[in-house]
Amino acid sequence: MDNFKFHNPVKIIFGKDTIREIGSEIHSYGISKVLILMGSGSVKKNGVYEQVTDSLEKYGIDYVEQWGVTPNPILSHTEESLEIARKEQVQAVLAVGGGSVIDEAKAIAAAYYAPDVWSLFEKTYKATNALPLFTVLTISATASEINSFFVLTNDRENKKWSCGSPHVYPKVSIIDPTVQKYLPINQTINGGVDTLSHIMEFYFMGENEESTLSINEALMRTVIKSVDELVSDPLNYDWRANLAWCSSLALQGITSVSMGGGEFACHRIEHAISALYPSVAHAEGLSVLFPAWIEYVSSLKPHIFERWAKNVWEVDSVAAGIEKMKEKFKYWGAPVSLSELDIEQDEFEKIAENALLIGEVGKIKELNKQDIISILNIAQ
Ligand code: NZQ
Ligand code: ZN
């Protein structure tokens, strides 16, 4: 096992009826004015907005609202939100929503003390400070509520890039799984697929790190079981709560111990796809790419892919594991081919070039442009 440092400072408050604690948590930091960042309005329909604002008012916390964060959040909206945060001189950002809202909130928090937002992503400016960040999570998928990463699309340049800074770890994140019970089923499935993908990005880097590999297998099996159960019984609280917690655990440090920083080729190619086709949800790209990528690279490291096939999918070969995963995705209603996303072969070169803009893609196999096109052909 490699040496490692483990540090995750995020306080998680998890369970039923926990959203009303947000006011006292923010108040305990001596904060009296926040920017509340939200998406397109689901939080008004499911009562989350009311619970949040009631709690803030109870603790005398003033707030400014900014709506309109899109799935696959964009730079231009982030810049607008940052301007509001500065003009209103808020002392913290409160994200109320999913990964997209939290990621934009992180970008605002870090850019508050930076010359501009995109320089953080270009790595020409390194954040040395950030506004304190709090989150109320409404969809479990990205683990952004418990990690220090954020992803934004530069809508002027069609670049979807990620950034990380220890200064943007949320101070407190509230996860009340009951607010996810009326999620459209495809969003629940997206959450399951993204969670599985995060675990796989680390798992396949493994050799013989039994603790991390076993934890990751248990998480993968639990995610699959939870989504299966929720597909037939979306209101089941216990499976909803299990999926939510697996989702947070998948990308917060435990699953990556001694895994060489993760593989992340599929995430890089997916980010290129949603940079060019913003209507494609992050997890839709991943459910199409992962089976194809495994097919393309698994012979380079057969033992770990065979172990995955046996311990996660209960089959004897990698090919059968891929087949079972695709069957499962189809059963859930997740896409397994690029044609289902309306992406045609003549666009593959553009996707490959976009993925390579930030530099090397892939570790088990470093993928060049032709490799990426070959993976996209398998995914067609
Ligand atoms: O706009 P609203 O009203 O919030 O509606 C959202 C949105 O349409 C809806 N939704 C959320 N909670 C709901 C709900 N609808 C009904 N009831 C609820 N309780 O769901 C839709 C999708 O939300 P979004 O936040 O976009 O989903 P997700 O959490 O999957 O976030 C995706 C973004 O995160 C990035 C992705 O690339 C993508 O941009 N990622 C962030 C990561 C990170 N920060 O660590 C890692 C990931 O790999 C990923 O790249
Ligand atoms: Zn992801």
Side-chain angles (χ1 to χ4, degrees):
M1 211 161 168
D2 300 335
N3 293 0
F4 67 91
K5 291 180 186 169
F6 181 86
H7 176 78
N8 189 307
V10 182
K11 176 177 178 182
I12 294 288
I13 300 177
F14 187 100
K16 294 175 185 171
D17 206 18
T18 47
I19 294 176
R20 61 195 167 95
E21 294 183 38
I22 193 65
S24 69
E25 290 296 329
I26 294 176
H27 180 72
S28 72
Y29 281 82
I31 290 164
S32 58
K33 186 171 183 182
V34 298
L35 175 76
I36 313 182
L37 194 68
M38 289 164 287
S40 68
S42 61
V43 295
K44 278 245 165 135
K45 290 186 204 128
N46 59 20
V48 171
Y49 170 83
E50 212 177 345
Q51 293 178 61
V52 167
T53 49
D54 282 355
S55 179
L56 294 179
E57 283 160 21
K58 186 171 166 199
Y59 285 88
I61 298 163
D62 203 4
Y63 55 87
V64 184
E65 297 175 18
Q66 165 71 334
W67 293 85
V69 178
T70 50
N72 296 327
I74 53 176
L75 178 61
S76 54
H77 189 271
T78 310
E79 290 167 340
E80 191 189 293
S81 307
L82 176 63
E83 214 176 297
I84 296 170
R86 285 184 173 145
K87 187 167 147 262
E88 295 285 342
Q89 298 190 326
V90 300
Q91 296 164 295
V93 185
L94 169 57
V96 181
S100 295
V101 173
I102 299 173
D103 283 5
E104 179 167 321
K106 286 176 173 173
I108 297 164
Y112 196 82
Y113 299 108
D116 67 291
V117 182
W118 197 245
S119 59
L120 295 163
F121 290 80
E122 298 265 12
K123 316 264 185 287
T124 51
Y125 181 85
K126 191 170 175 213
T128 52
N129 200 359
L131 283 177
L133 172 69
F134 299 81
T135 88
V136 172
L137 184 72
T138 63
I139 173 172
S140 289
T142 64
S144 189
E145 71 280 4
I146 193 172
N147 68 37
S148 59
F149 310 119
F150 48 116
V151 185
L152 217 60
T153 298
N154 181 328
D155 44 332
R156 295 188 281 271
E157 298 176 14
N158 290 334
K159 291 173 178 164
K160 183 175 177 180
W161 287 7
S162 62
C163 188
S165 165
H167 300 289
V168 302
Y169 275 114
K171 300 283 181 224
V172 178
S173 284
I174 295 188
I175 306 171
D176 177 348
T178 60
V179 308
Q180 301 189 34
K181 67 182 175 188
Y182 297 118
L183 265 178
I185 191 66
N186 71 309
Q187 296 293 0
T188 296
I189 288 155
N190 282 348
V193 170
D194 195 20
T195 301
L196 262 188
S197 302
H198 295 153
I199 303 165
M200 289 191 289
E201 295 285 19
F202 294 116
Y203 180 87
F204 293 126
M205 293 294 287
E207 295 291 342
N208 54 8
E209 305 77 359
E210 196 52 44
S211 51
T212 308
L213 292 176
S214 294
I215 287 169
N216 288 3
E217 286 164 0
L219 283 173
M220 284 190 269
R221 289 193 299 265
T222 311
V223 172
I224 295 162
K225 174 83 176 145
S226 304
V227 178
D228 273 348
E229 295 290 337
L230 289 170
V231 165
S232 53
D233 182 10
L235 301 185
N236 186 304
Y237 176 79
D238 286 318
W239 288 114
R240 186 67 72 184
N242 273 290
L243 181 60
W245 187 228
C246 286
S247 170
S248 296
L249 289 175
L251 192 53
Q252 57 79 264
I254 285 177
T255 54
S256 58
V257 163
S258 200
M259 294 287 125
E263 156 61 42
F264 284 97
C266 288
H267 267 74
R268 285 283 298 284
I269 304 171
E270 192 298 307
H271 285 172
I273 290 177
S274 41
L276 295 164
Y277 313 96
S279 62
V280 174
H282 175 58
E284 291 174 337
L286 292 169
S287 67
V288 167
L289 289 167
F290 247 107
W293 173 82
I294 295 172
E295 188 176 327
Y296 195 69
V297 305
S298 51
S299 62
L300 298 172
K301 207 179 167 190
H303 63 285
I304 194 70
F305 289 93
E306 280 160 13
R307 179 179 165 141
W308 166 80
K310 182 163 174 278
N311 292 353
V312 179
W313 298 104
E314 298 174 341
V315 290
D316 291 334
S317 71
V318 180
I322 295 171
E323 213 34 56
K324 264 198 109 171
M325 181 165 73
K326 281 172 83 167
E327 286 307 316
K328 185 62 80 183
F329 287 172
K330 279 190 213 167
Y331 167 68
W332 292 346
V336 292
S337 66
L338 286 167
S339 53
E340 290 169 75
L341 304 178
D342 290 328
I343 297 174
E344 304 300 334
Q345 216 159 8
D346 57 4
E347 296 159 90
F348 290 177
E349 195 170 331
K350 197 168 61 175
I351 295 171
E353 284 167 0
N354 191 295
L356 287 162
L357 278 176
I358 333 172
E360 291 163 8
V361 176
K363 291 185 183 160
I364 291 172
K365 176 172 175 53
E366 192 186 320
L367 305 173
N368 61 29
K369 185 171 153 184
Q370 193 46 54
D371 290 320
I372 297 175
I373 292 172
S374 301
I375 290 169
L376 295 172
N377 270 311
I378 297 172
Q380 187 58 8

